[in-house]
Amino acid sequence: MYLADEAWPELEEYFAEESLALVPLGSTEQHGPHLPESTDHTIAEAFAREAAERTGFLCTPTVNVGVSPHHRQFPGTMWVDPPEFRDYVESFTRNLAYHGIDRVVFVNAHGGNVQHLREVGRRVRDDGTAYAVEWMWDESIPELVDEVFEQNGPHGGPKETAMMQYLDGEHVHDDRLEAARDGGVASVADADTVKHGSRTFYDAIDNTDNGVLGDQTDATAEKGERLFEAASDQLVQLCEWLDDQRFEDLLPKDRV
């Protein structure tokens, strides 16, 4: 069920019977010269809608702009500052709780959002409002990602490229894959910006001239579909597990 497509009587029925919602979150930021800036939010929404379709749980509209100031040097990147992002996400999470939702899965596809979603989850859990947990698709199937790609890369690499070839191939520039690889670096380690245990970089451009980390030349839509199906299975299982828990068991333990 997609919240924005429903009228309030149908949503009233859902809230009377169910207490779980999926919230997709991503970013609007550079993903190299070959991928659209919609990459992260397109992927997040696809997973959330797929899991909602399979389970019947509620999917909310997508948060399309995230914490992305580290990509700001590349044209078109949009971002919000971390405090405003946390406050916004916390506010609408409490709004969902007002309607009867007490467990939320943040279906997240942008690494820059992770620590802030975790902080929001702690806030609403600590005061007993809801249990909110962050989920990222590639972290749910790490062995498969490593199996499928020679160099999977953390940003604009083959895993995101394959996923977008599958979900929205029209906006992938397949003719730029080799140039994207050659103008970027394989990994942060290859960028040589970790010095004596310190990460000396703050922005993506400190590591890679074109914003790419990884070798995307072995990405295909077929590989993207395989990853999508496997990670969707993991998200469905997470939702079903979370739905089975007693809410009291999800709250903080008593002080020792």
Side-chain angles (χ1 to χ4, degrees):
M1 173 183 282
Y2 182 61
L3 186 150
D5 286 344
E6 304 295 332
W8 71 257
E10 287 70 34
L11 292 166
E12 182 180 41
E13 292 177 9
Y14 180 86
F15 294 131
E17 298 292 330
E18 303 288 353
S19 59
L20 187 146
L22 297 115
V23 178
L25 306 99
S27 68
T28 299
E29 66 178 27
Q30 74 85 17
H31 275 77
H34 61 300
L35 291 178
E37 306 221 346
S38 62
T39 293
D40 285 346
H41 69 250
T42 294
I43 292 172
E45 181 168 334
F47 277 116
R49 284 187 175 246
E50 178 71 11
E53 181 69 23
R54 292 193 195 183
T55 62
F57 291 127
L58 185 69
C59 175
T60 74
T62 304
V63 178
N64 290 341
V65 178
V67 181
S68 303
H70 50 294
H71 293 292
R72 67 188 185 276
Q73 288 89 351
F74 295 92
T77 291
M78 300 181 68
W79 70 91
V80 291
D81 291 329
E84 286 73 18
F85 178 80
R86 290 192 296 266
D87 288 348
Y88 178 74
V89 174
E90 180 178 351
S91 181
F92 72 64
T93 301
R94 293 186 185 280
N95 154 235
L96 290 170
Y98 173 85
H99 291 299
I101 297 297
D102 64 15
R103 54 207 78 191
V104 175
V105 179
F106 294 134
V107 182
N108 176 44
H110 173 51
N113 294 340
V114 172
Q115 62 179 312
H116 309 295
L117 295 174
R118 292 284 297 172
E119 173 61 24
V120 170
R122 174 175 289 281
R123 290 180 187 179
V124 297
R125 177 176 180 256
D126 281 356
D127 65 16
T129 299
Y131 181 83
V133 62
E134 182 266 347
W135 178 88
M136 281 192 73
W137 70 271
D138 56 323
E139 293 181 0
S140 75
I141 51 168
E143 295 87 359
L144 180 58
V145 172
D146 286 341
E147 172 190 330
V148 170
F149 302 115
E150 184 70 23
Q151 170 53 258
N152 58 54
H155 188 76
K159 59 188 176 185
E160 289 183 318
T161 301
M163 192 64 69
M164 287 299 288
Q165 287 171 323
Y166 172 60
L167 295 175
D168 187 20
E170 176 185 357
H171 291 104
V172 177
H173 299 274
D174 287 317
D175 59 329
R176 300 178 185 174
L177 298 187
E178 290 187 5
R181 175 199 62 195
D182 295 343
V185 294
S187 67
V188 172
D190 291 300
D192 194 30
T193 52
V194 177
K195 304 292 186 182
H196 310 291
S198 175
R199 291 178 292 177
T200 64
F201 58 91
Y202 281 93
D203 296 327
I205 203 167
D206 297 334
N207 287 321
T208 165
D209 290 341
N210 70 354
V212 169
L213 290 157
D215 179 358
Q216 53 286 105
T217 56
D218 63 345
T220 66
E222 291 74 23
K223 291 179 179 180
E225 181 177 14
R226 183 181 176 191
L227 297 174
F228 183 80
E229 292 300 323
S232 293
D233 288 343
Q234 292 297 311
L235 180 55
V236 166
Q237 291 179 54
L238 172 62
C239 291
E240 292 174 342
W241 171 83
L242 188 54
D243 185 56
D244 284 343
Q245 306 308 302
R246 290 193 322 137
F247 181 63
E248 294 77 10
D249 294 337
L250 298 170
L251 296 178
K253 302 294 186 291
D254 291 336
R255 179 178 170 291
V256 174

